[in-house]
Amino acid sequence: MIRQQLAWFDPARIGHSGQCFRFAPLPEGGGWGLTARGRRLCIRPDGDGFLFDCTPEEWETVWYPYFDLDTDYEAFAAAVNPRDAYMTAAVACAAGVRILRQDPWETTVAFILSQQSNIPRITRNLEAVCRAYGAPFADREGNIWYDIPTPAALAAASEEELRALGLGYRAPYLRAAAARIAAGQPDLASLAAMPYKKAHAALLTLPGVGVKVADCVCLFGLHKLDAFPIDTHIRQMLDAHYKRGFPMRRYKGFAGVLQQYAFYYELYGGKT
DNA sequence: TCTGGACCTCG
DNA sequence: GAGGTCCAG
């Protein structure tokens, strides 16, 4: 168990932000639990800081990088045009949200499942897939959790089995994409080293992955902060507030972070 | 290149 | 109808 005081870190907002789907309130309340990188982590508020139930070594090598704590998000917030009332409000609403360094394969699975869906359902579907095909592991208290299935494990599943989990027409997409990744076409590990546009183009070749999903994988799984996924919420936001176009030049290098803040603001703006 | 309809469930 | 993709025309 370790304690940390962290700038720009709000687990509740991160958990609701729609970038990750295995990040949920603890049943006893007051904290958050997440499954990632083949591990389980609990986060509990503690005064002006947080308690993390991991070793200092795990913190340094796994969770500190996962939460992208080396990146200065306050600097991104400060770079927002003060005359842009909409983005100023969005950033204030989403303060504390970071772009997690999630696994590219996990984000590929999650966002293939995300089409024509919503956060509660994506969460349910992803959990079902992990329980059915993922490797179980125990936390330090002996509770069993399930990792994201390997590409090979999902490729070996039948469409019928996947449909039985409630995936609907996404089942054949997921299965086919898993087969492609298992064959190394494309090799997800090598995408991280590519520039955003090349990585995006490679992801577009996957079945069930269009422009929007590829951008989500780029932003959330490959940490390409230039990626700017446009879904219906962001589309409406752009039409309403940026009729002359979003200032991509001004925000080059981190436009995707602001996209995430706008997205959060669109979803929860009235209620936080 | 661009537009429209189908697609599985479920809140 | 939904935080989208695919295929036909």
Side-chain angles (χ1 to χ4, degrees):
Chain A
M1 187 77 75
I2 66 164
R3 184 177 192 284
Q4 295 285 326
Q5 276 180 258
L6 303 167
W8 204 270
F9 179 79
D10 187 327
R13 290 179 178 174
I14 292 171
H16 282 132
S17 68
Q19 63 176 300
C20 53
F21 303 97
R22 308 196 76 197
F23 200 127
L26 293 173
E28 68 267 28
W32 289 77
L34 70 123
T35 308
R37 302 196 179 186
R39 296 156 192 266
R40 170 81 182 169
L41 179 71
C42 291
I43 308 172
R44 293 183 178 84
D46 181 51
D48 57 356
F50 292 95
L51 259 22
F52 297 85
D53 69 336
C54 65
T55 65
E57 294 72 35
E58 244 186 322
W59 175 257
E60 287 301 322
T61 60
V62 179
W63 300 115
Y64 182 91
Y66 181 77
F67 292 119
D68 196 30
L69 290 166
D70 266 340
T71 299
D72 185 359
Y73 284 79
E74 294 181 292
F76 297 152
V80 169
N81 184 347
R83 295 191 298 175
D84 183 341
Y86 176 83
M87 191 54 69
T88 300
V91 167
C93 177
V97 173
R98 292 171 168 275
I99 307 296
L100 303 176
R101 290 186 179 268
Q102 299 186 78
D103 174 63
W105 168 239
E106 172 167 350
T107 52
T108 301
V109 174
F111 287 97
I112 284 175
L113 297 182
S114 77
Q115 61 177 106
Q116 291 291 104
S117 188
N118 50 60
I119 294 173
R121 184 178 175 199
I122 300 163
T123 302
R124 233 181 13 255
N125 286 346
L126 186 60
E127 214 50 46
V129 165
C130 291
R131 291 181 61 92
Y133 301 100
F137 68 92
D139 63 20
R140 65 193 78 241
E141 289 162 4
N143 302 306
I144 300 301
W145 305 91
Y146 293 86
D147 203 354
I148 290 285
T150 62
L154 275 188
S158 71
E159 180 180 329
E160 291 67 33
E161 289 169 337
L162 292 173
R163 280 182 181 268
L165 299 180
L167 308 194
Y169 60 83
R170 304 161 195 83
Y173 294 149
L174 182 60
R175 187 174 179 282
R180 289 274 309 280
I181 299 300
Q185 298 177 345
D187 172 38
L188 287 182
S190 69
L191 294 193
M194 294 179 185
Y196 158 59
K197 281 186 174 177
K198 287 199 71 173
H200 189 263
L203 289 166
L204 275 181
T205 67
L206 289 171
V209 176
V211 170
K212 189 270 181 182
V213 169
D215 271 322
C216 287
V217 175
C218 282
L219 181 57
F220 303 128
L222 298 170
H223 213 71
K224 306 294 184 196
L225 300 187
D226 273 318
F228 195 96
I230 299 178
D231 53 37
T232 57
H233 288 133
I234 293 296
R235 180 78 270 157
Q236 287 177 22
M237 179 281 289
L238 292 174
D239 291 345
H241 302 284
Y242 297 95
K243 292 195 175 65
R244 299 179 180 186
F246 191 79
M248 293 293 178
R249 288 295 87 73
R250 179 185 177 106
Y251 301 126
K252 189 165 178 53
F254 62 101
V257 177
L258 299 184
Q259 181 276 352
Q260 182 67 176
Y261 294 162
F263 180 77
Y264 187 92
Y265 188 45
E266 291 296 308
L267 251 58
Y268 306 110
K271 329 163 197 170
T272 43

PDB file of all heavy atoms in Angstrom, chain A residues 69-100:
ATOM      1  N   LEU A  69       1.774   9.844 -15.637  1.00  0.00           N
ATOM      2  CA  LEU A  69       2.036  10.907 -14.661  1.00  0.00           C
ATOM      3  C   LEU A  69       3.242  11.776 -15.011  1.00  0.00           C
ATOM      4  O   LEU A  69       3.464  12.802 -14.378  1.00  0.00           O
ATOM      5  CB  LEU A  69       2.173  10.299 -13.262  1.00  0.00           C
ATOM      6  CG  LEU A  69       0.828   9.775 -12.737  1.00  0.00           C
ATOM      7  CD1 LEU A  69       1.032   8.886 -11.512  1.00  0.00           C
ATOM      8  CD2 LEU A  69      -0.127  10.926 -12.402  1.00  0.00           C
ATOM      9  N   ASP A  70       3.985  11.386 -16.040  1.00  0.00           N
ATOM     10  CA  ASP A  70       5.093  12.232 -16.489  1.00  0.00           C
ATOM     11  C   ASP A  70       4.616  13.385 -17.369  1.00  0.00           C
ATOM     12  O   ASP A  70       5.376  14.293 -17.649  1.00  0.00           O
ATOM     13  CB  ASP A  70       6.110  11.400 -17.289  1.00  0.00           C
ATOM     14  CG  ASP A  70       7.240  10.901 -16.393  1.00  0.00           C
ATOM     15  OD1 ASP A  70       7.433  11.484 -15.313  1.00  0.00           O
ATOM     16  OD2 ASP A  70       7.913   9.931 -16.786  1.00  0.00           O
ATOM     17  N   THR A  71       3.371  13.304 -17.827  1.00  0.00           N
ATOM     18  CA  THR A  71       2.879  14.332 -18.741  1.00  0.00           C
ATOM     19  C   THR A  71       2.168  15.442 -17.972  1.00  0.00           C
ATOM     20  O   THR A  71       1.392  15.176 -17.062  1.00  0.00           O
ATOM     21  CB  THR A  71       1.915  13.704 -19.767  1.00  0.00           C
ATOM     22  OG1 THR A  71       2.623  12.714 -20.513  1.00  0.00           O
ATOM     23  CG2 THR A  71       1.370  14.752 -20.723  1.00  0.00           C
ATOM     24  N   ASP A  72       2.443  16.675 -18.369  1.00  0.00           N
ATOM     25  CA  ASP A  72       1.902  17.839 -17.677  1.00  0.00           C
ATOM     26  C   ASP A  72       0.572  18.274 -18.306  1.00  0.00           C
ATOM     27  O   ASP A  72       0.543  19.071 -19.238  1.00  0.00           O
ATOM     28  CB  ASP A  72       2.928  18.980 -17.747  1.00  0.00           C
ATOM     29  CG  ASP A  72       2.480  20.205 -16.945  1.00  0.00           C
ATOM     30  OD1 ASP A  72       1.370  20.165 -16.365  1.00  0.00           O
ATOM     31  OD2 ASP A  72       3.245  21.179 -16.900  1.00  0.00           O
ATOM     32  N   TYR A  73      -0.505  17.744 -17.781  1.00  0.00           N
ATOM     33  CA  TYR A  73      -1.824  18.081 -18.330  1.00  0.00           C
ATOM     34  C   TYR A  73      -2.252  19.494 -17.964  1.00  0.00           C
ATOM     35  O   TYR A  73      -3.060  20.100 -18.666  1.00  0.00           O
ATOM     36  CB  TYR A  73      -2.862  17.052 -17.867  1.00  0.00           C
ATOM     37  CG  TYR A  73      -2.735  15.747 -18.609  1.00  0.00           C
ATOM     38  CD1 TYR A  73      -1.742  14.829 -18.251  1.00  0.00           C
ATOM     39  CD2 TYR A  73      -3.543  15.452 -19.692  1.00  0.00           C
ATOM     40  CE1 TYR A  73      -1.578  13.646 -18.948  1.00  0.00           C
ATOM     41  CE2 TYR A  73      -3.389  14.260 -20.401  1.00  0.00           C
ATOM     42  CZ  TYR A  73      -2.418  13.364 -20.026  1.00  0.00           C
ATOM     43  OH  TYR A  73      -2.256  12.202 -20.728  1.00  0.00           O
ATOM     44  N   GLU A  74      -1.725  20.009 -16.874  1.00  0.00           N
ATOM     45  CA  GLU A  74      -2.066  21.396 -16.513  1.00  0.00           C
ATOM     46  C   GLU A  74      -1.538  22.359 -17.578  1.00  0.00           C
ATOM     47  O   GLU A  74      -2.150  23.391 -17.831  1.00  0.00           O
ATOM     48  CB  GLU A  74      -1.516  21.721 -15.131  1.00  0.00           C
ATOM     49  CG  GLU A  74      -2.203  20.897 -14.054  1.00  0.00           C
ATOM     50  CD  GLU A  74      -1.721  21.203 -12.643  1.00  0.00           C
ATOM     51  OE1 GLU A  74      -0.545  20.878 -12.349  1.00  0.00           O
ATOM     52  OE2 GLU A  74      -2.491  21.740 -11.865  1.00  0.00           O
ATOM     53  N   ALA A  75      -0.427  21.988 -18.197  1.00  0.00           N
ATOM     54  CA  ALA A  75       0.113  22.822 -19.275  1.00  0.00           C
ATOM     55  C   ALA A  75      -0.824  22.800 -20.482  1.00  0.00           C
ATOM     56  O   ALA A  75      -1.022  23.831 -21.139  1.00  0.00           O
ATOM     57  CB  ALA A  75       1.507  22.334 -19.678  1.00  0.00           C
ATOM     58  N   PHE A  76      -1.429  21.649 -20.764  1.00  0.00           N
ATOM     59  CA  PHE A  76      -2.407  21.580 -21.853  1.00  0.00           C
ATOM     60  C   PHE A  76      -3.592  22.497 -21.534  1.00  0.00           C
ATOM     61  O   PHE A  76      -4.068  23.242 -22.391  1.00  0.00           O
ATOM     62  CB  PHE A  76      -2.917  20.148 -22.049  1.00  0.00           C
ATOM     63  CG  PHE A  76      -1.870  19.157 -22.457  1.00  0.00           C
ATOM     64  CD1 PHE A  76      -2.002  17.816 -22.117  1.00  0.00           C
ATOM     65  CD2 PHE A  76      -0.761  19.554 -23.193  1.00  0.00           C
ATOM     66  CE1 PHE A  76      -1.037  16.882 -22.508  1.00  0.00           C
ATOM     67  CE2 PHE A  76       0.209  18.621 -23.581  1.00  0.00           C
ATOM     68  CZ  PHE A  76       0.063  17.287 -23.228  1.00  0.00           C
ATOM     69  N   ALA A  77      -4.058  22.400 -20.303  1.00  0.00           N
ATOM     70  CA  ALA A  77      -5.200  23.223 -19.890  1.00  0.00           C
ATOM     71  C   ALA A  77      -4.867  24.708 -20.007  1.00  0.00           C
ATOM     72  O   ALA A  77      -5.680  25.508 -20.467  1.00  0.00           O
ATOM     73  CB  ALA A  77      -5.611  22.870 -18.464  1.00  0.00           C
ATOM     74  N   ALA A  78      -3.658  25.046 -19.615  1.00  0.00           N
ATOM     75  CA  ALA A  78      -3.244  26.452 -19.630  1.00  0.00           C
ATOM     76  C   ALA A  78      -3.106  26.982 -21.051  1.00  0.00           C
ATOM     77  O   ALA A  78      -3.168  28.190 -21.280  1.00  0.00           O
ATOM     78  CB  ALA A  78      -1.924  26.615 -18.876  1.00  0.00           C
ATOM     79  N   ALA A  79      -2.912  26.085 -22.012  1.00  0.00           N
ATOM     80  CA  ALA A  79      -2.713  26.506 -23.399  1.00  0.00           C
ATOM     81  C   ALA A  79      -4.025  26.811 -24.118  1.00  0.00           C
ATOM     82  O   ALA A  79      -4.023  27.337 -25.237  1.00  0.00           O
ATOM     83  CB  ALA A  79      -1.954  25.426 -24.169  1.00  0.00           C
ATOM     84  N   VAL A  80      -5.149  26.502 -23.471  1.00  0.00           N
ATOM     85  CA  VAL A  80      -6.444  26.777 -24.100  1.00  0.00           C
ATOM     86  C   VAL A  80      -6.641  28.275 -24.253  1.00  0.00           C
ATOM     87  O   VAL A  80      -6.349  29.054 -23.334  1.00  0.00           O
ATOM     88  CB  VAL A  80      -7.588  26.166 -23.263  1.00  0.00           C
ATOM     89  CG1 VAL A  80      -8.941  26.662 -23.750  1.00  0.00           C
ATOM     90  CG2 VAL A  80      -7.520  24.643 -23.305  1.00  0.00           C
ATOM     91  N   ASN A  81      -7.112  28.659 -25.420  1.00  0.00           N
ATOM     92  CA  ASN A  81      -7.400  30.069 -25.706  1.00  0.00           C
ATOM     93  C   ASN A  81      -8.404  30.610 -24.687  1.00  0.00           C
ATOM     94  O   ASN A  81      -9.533  30.136 -24.628  1.00  0.00           O
ATOM     95  CB  ASN A  81      -7.973  30.155 -27.121  1.00  0.00           C
ATOM     96  CG  ASN A  81      -8.204  31.593 -27.554  1.00  0.00           C
ATOM     97  OD1 ASN A  81      -8.160  32.519 -26.726  1.00  0.00           O
ATOM     98  ND2 ASN A  81      -8.425  31.779 -28.834  1.00  0.00           N
ATOM     99  N   PRO A  82      -8.011  31.593 -23.897  1.00  0.00           N
ATOM    100  CA  PRO A  82      -8.931  32.105 -22.867  1.00  0.00           C
ATOM    101  C   PRO A  82     -10.216  32.724 -23.450  1.00  0.00           C
ATOM    102  O   PRO A  82     -11.216  32.842 -22.751  1.00  0.00           O
ATOM    103  CB  PRO A  82      -8.099  33.162 -22.124  1.00  0.00           C
ATOM    104  CG  PRO A  82      -6.936  33.446 -22.991  1.00  0.00           C
ATOM    105  CD  PRO A  82      -6.701  32.252 -23.859  1.00  0.00           C
ATOM    106  N   ARG A  83     -10.149  33.071 -24.731  1.00  0.00           N
ATOM    107  CA  ARG A  83     -11.371  33.625 -25.359  1.00  0.00           C
ATOM    108  C   ARG A  83     -12.302  32.525 -25.847  1.00  0.00           C
ATOM    109  O   ARG A  83     -13.400  32.805 -26.324  1.00  0.00           O
ATOM    110  CB  ARG A  83     -10.981  34.547 -26.528  1.00  0.00           C
ATOM    111  CG  ARG A  83     -10.223  35.776 -26.052  1.00  0.00           C
ATOM    112  CD  ARG A  83     -10.082  36.779 -27.170  1.00  0.00           C
ATOM    113  NE  ARG A  83      -9.317  36.239 -28.309  1.00  0.00           N
ATOM    114  CZ  ARG A  83      -9.141  36.891 -29.453  1.00  0.00           C
ATOM    115  NH1 ARG A  83      -9.688  38.093 -29.619  1.00  0.00           N
ATOM    116  NH2 ARG A  83      -8.438  36.363 -30.415  1.00  0.00           N
ATOM    117  N   ASP A  84     -11.841  31.267 -25.745  1.00  0.00           N
ATOM    118  CA  ASP A  84     -12.677  30.130 -26.135  1.00  0.00           C
ATOM    119  C   ASP A  84     -13.459  29.680 -24.900  1.00  0.00           C
ATOM    120  O   ASP A  84     -12.999  28.863 -24.109  1.00  0.00           O
ATOM    121  CB  ASP A  84     -11.793  29.005 -26.676  1.00  0.00           C
ATOM    122  CG  ASP A  84     -12.600  27.801 -27.170  1.00  0.00           C
ATOM    123  OD1 ASP A  84     -13.778  27.671 -26.771  1.00  0.00           O
ATOM    124  OD2 ASP A  84     -12.049  27.003 -27.948  1.00  0.00           O
ATOM    125  N   ALA A  85     -14.656  30.238 -24.753  1.00  0.00           N
ATOM    126  CA  ALA A  85     -15.448  29.971 -23.545  1.00  0.00           C
ATOM    127  C   ALA A  85     -15.840  28.504 -23.447  1.00  0.00           C
ATOM    128  O   ALA A  85     -15.861  27.931 -22.349  1.00  0.00           O
ATOM    129  CB  ALA A  85     -16.702  30.855 -23.542  1.00  0.00           C
ATOM    130  N   TYR A  86     -16.159  27.904 -24.601  1.00  0.00           N
ATOM    131  CA  TYR A  86     -16.581  26.505 -24.555  1.00  0.00           C
ATOM    132  C   TYR A  86     -15.468  25.612 -24.024  1.00  0.00           C
ATOM    133  O   TYR A  86     -15.664  24.840 -23.084  1.00  0.00           O
ATOM    134  CB  TYR A  86     -17.024  26.009 -25.941  1.00  0.00           C
ATOM    135  CG  TYR A  86     -17.360  24.540 -25.891  1.00  0.00           C
ATOM    136  CD1 TYR A  86     -18.614  24.129 -25.451  1.00  0.00           C
ATOM    137  CD2 TYR A  86     -16.415  23.570 -26.210  1.00  0.00           C
ATOM    138  CE1 TYR A  86     -18.919  22.774 -25.346  1.00  0.00           C
ATOM    139  CE2 TYR A  86     -16.711  22.223 -26.099  1.00  0.00           C
ATOM    140  CZ  TYR A  86     -17.959  21.832 -25.680  1.00  0.00           C
ATOM    141  OH  TYR A  86     -18.247  20.504 -25.555  1.00  0.00           O
ATOM    142  N   MET A  87     -14.261  25.696 -24.628  1.00  0.00           N
ATOM    143  CA  MET A  87     -13.184  24.790 -24.216  1.00  0.00           C
ATOM    144  C   MET A  87     -12.711  25.112 -22.803  1.00  0.00           C
ATOM    145  O   MET A  87     -12.318  24.208 -22.059  1.00  0.00           O
ATOM    146  CB  MET A  87     -12.022  24.849 -25.219  1.00  0.00           C
ATOM    147  CG  MET A  87     -10.990  23.749 -25.024  1.00  0.00           C
ATOM    148  SD  MET A  87     -11.677  22.060 -25.009  1.00  0.00           S
ATOM    149  CE  MET A  87     -12.177  21.867 -26.722  1.00  0.00           C
ATOM    150  N   THR A  88     -12.769  26.355 -22.425  1.00  0.00           N
ATOM    151  CA  THR A  88     -12.394  26.713 -21.061  1.00  0.00           C
ATOM    152  C   THR A  88     -13.308  26.010 -20.058  1.00  0.00           C
ATOM    153  O   THR A  88     -12.846  25.449 -19.053  1.00  0.00           O
ATOM    154  CB  THR A  88     -12.487  28.247 -20.871  1.00  0.00           C
ATOM    155  OG1 THR A  88     -11.578  28.870 -21.801  1.00  0.00           O
ATOM    156  CG2 THR A  88     -12.122  28.657 -19.463  1.00  0.00           C
ATOM    157  N   ALA A  89     -14.603  26.009 -20.368  1.00  0.00           N
ATOM    158  CA  ALA A  89     -15.561  25.341 -19.481  1.00  0.00           C
ATOM    159  C   ALA A  89     -15.367  23.833 -19.507  1.00  0.00           C
ATOM    160  O   ALA A  89     -15.461  23.159 -18.467  1.00  0.00           O
ATOM    161  CB  ALA A  89     -16.987  25.695 -19.899  1.00  0.00           C
ATOM    162  N   ALA A  90     -15.088  23.283 -20.695  1.00  0.00           N
ATOM    163  CA  ALA A  90     -14.905  21.830 -20.821  1.00  0.00           C
ATOM    164  C   ALA A  90     -13.715  21.364 -19.995  1.00  0.00           C
ATOM    165  O   ALA A  90     -13.789  20.351 -19.289  1.00  0.00           O
ATOM    166  CB  ALA A  90     -14.718  21.458 -22.292  1.00  0.00           C
ATOM    167  N   VAL A  91     -12.622  22.109 -20.068  1.00  0.00           N
ATOM    168  CA  VAL A  91     -11.417  21.731 -19.336  1.00  0.00           C
ATOM    169  C   VAL A  91     -11.664  21.815 -17.826  1.00  0.00           C
ATOM    170  O   VAL A  91     -11.230  20.944 -17.060  1.00  0.00           O
ATOM    171  CB  VAL A  91     -10.228  22.633 -19.760  1.00  0.00           C
ATOM    172  CG1 VAL A  91      -9.062  22.484 -18.800  1.00  0.00           C
ATOM    173  CG2 VAL A  91      -9.785  22.297 -21.182  1.00  0.00           C
ATOM    174  N   ALA A  92     -12.387  22.827 -17.399  1.00  0.00           N
ATOM    175  CA  ALA A  92     -12.693  22.941 -15.971  1.00  0.00           C
ATOM    176  C   ALA A  92     -13.540  21.765 -15.506  1.00  0.00           C
ATOM    177  O   ALA A  92     -13.339  21.209 -14.426  1.00  0.00           O
ATOM    178  CB  ALA A  92     -13.423  24.262 -15.701  1.00  0.00           C
ATOM    179  N   CYS A  93     -14.483  21.367 -16.348  1.00  0.00           N
ATOM    180  CA  CYS A  93     -15.381  20.252 -16.010  1.00  0.00           C
ATOM    181  C   CYS A  93     -14.637  18.931 -15.939  1.00  0.00           C
ATOM    182  O   CYS A  93     -14.957  18.067 -15.117  1.00  0.00           O
ATOM    183  CB  CYS A  93     -16.494  20.184 -17.058  1.00  0.00           C
ATOM    184  SG  CYS A  93     -17.635  18.822 -16.855  1.00  0.00           S
ATOM    185  N   ALA A  94     -13.637  18.769 -16.797  1.00  0.00           N
ATOM    186  CA  ALA A  94     -12.924  17.490 -16.894  1.00  0.00           C
ATOM    187  C   ALA A  94     -11.565  17.538 -16.190  1.00  0.00           C
ATOM    188  O   ALA A  94     -10.743  16.639 -16.383  1.00  0.00           O
ATOM    189  CB  ALA A  94     -12.732  17.103 -18.361  1.00  0.00           C
ATOM    190  N   ALA A  95     -11.328  18.536 -15.369  1.00  0.00           N
ATOM    191  CA  ALA A  95     -10.037  18.646 -14.683  1.00  0.00           C
ATOM    192  C   ALA A  95      -9.719  17.353 -13.944  1.00  0.00           C
ATOM    193  O   ALA A  95     -10.568  16.802 -13.251  1.00  0.00           O
ATOM    194  CB  ALA A  95     -10.071  19.825 -13.709  1.00  0.00           C
ATOM    195  N   GLY A  96      -8.501  16.868 -14.102  1.00  0.00           N
ATOM    196  CA  GLY A  96      -8.111  15.626 -13.438  1.00  0.00           C
ATOM    197  C   GLY A  96      -8.155  14.414 -14.336  1.00  0.00           C
ATOM    198  O   GLY A  96      -7.733  13.335 -13.940  1.00  0.00           O
ATOM    199  N   VAL A  97      -8.654  14.600 -15.562  1.00  0.00           N
ATOM    200  CA  VAL A  97      -8.690  13.478 -16.507  1.00  0.00           C
ATOM    201  C   VAL A  97      -7.365  13.414 -17.269  1.00  0.00           C
ATOM    202  O   VAL A  97      -6.925  14.414 -17.840  1.00  0.00           O
ATOM    203  CB  VAL A  97      -9.869  13.616 -17.498  1.00  0.00           C
ATOM    204  CG1 VAL A  97      -9.782  12.538 -18.581  1.00  0.00           C
ATOM    205  CG2 VAL A  97     -11.194  13.536 -16.760  1.00  0.00           C
ATOM    206  N   ARG A  98      -6.758  12.248 -17.253  1.00  0.00           N
ATOM    207  CA  ARG A  98      -5.543  11.980 -18.019  1.00  0.00           C
ATOM    208  C   ARG A  98      -5.828  10.953 -19.089  1.00  0.00           C
ATOM    209  O   ARG A  98      -6.803  10.212 -18.982  1.00  0.00           O
ATOM    210  CB  ARG A  98      -4.448  11.429 -17.088  1.00  0.00           C
ATOM    211  CG  ARG A  98      -3.955  12.444 -16.095  1.00  0.00           C
ATOM    212  CD  ARG A  98      -3.029  11.852 -15.042  1.00  0.00           C
ATOM    213  NE  ARG A  98      -2.397  12.950 -14.330  1.00  0.00           N
ATOM    214  CZ  ARG A  98      -1.297  13.570 -14.753  1.00  0.00           C
ATOM    215  NH1 ARG A  98      -0.660  13.120 -15.825  1.00  0.00           N
ATOM    216  NH2 ARG A  98      -0.815  14.593 -14.103  1.00  0.00           N
ATOM    217  N   ILE A  99      -4.992  10.914 -20.101  1.00  0.00           N
ATOM    218  CA  ILE A  99      -5.108   9.871 -21.129  1.00  0.00           C
ATOM    219  C   ILE A  99      -4.240   8.699 -20.684  1.00  0.00           C
ATOM    220  O   ILE A  99      -3.012   8.794 -20.689  1.00  0.00           O
ATOM    221  CB  ILE A  99      -4.654  10.381 -22.517  1.00  0.00           C
ATOM    222  CG1 ILE A  99      -5.399  11.672 -22.901  1.00  0.00           C
ATOM    223  CG2 ILE A  99      -4.862   9.289 -23.564  1.00  0.00           C
ATOM    224  CD1 ILE A  99      -6.894  11.526 -23.068  1.00  0.00           C
ATOM    225  N   LEU A 100      -4.896   7.621 -20.285  1.00  0.00           N
ATOM    226  CA  LEU A 100      -4.186   6.457 -19.766  1.00  0.00           C
ATOM    227  C   LEU A 100      -3.354   5.805 -20.863  1.00  0.00           C
ATOM    228  O   LEU A 100      -3.718   5.853 -22.038  1.00  0.00           O
ATOM    229  CB  LEU A 100      -5.193   5.434 -19.226  1.00  0.00           C
ATOM    230  CG  LEU A 100      -6.136   5.944 -18.144  1.00  0.00           C
ATOM    231  CD1 LEU A 100      -7.146   4.858 -17.786  1.00  0.00           C
ATOM    232  CD2 LEU A 100      -5.354   6.376 -16.918  1.00  0.00           C
TER     233      LEU A 100
END
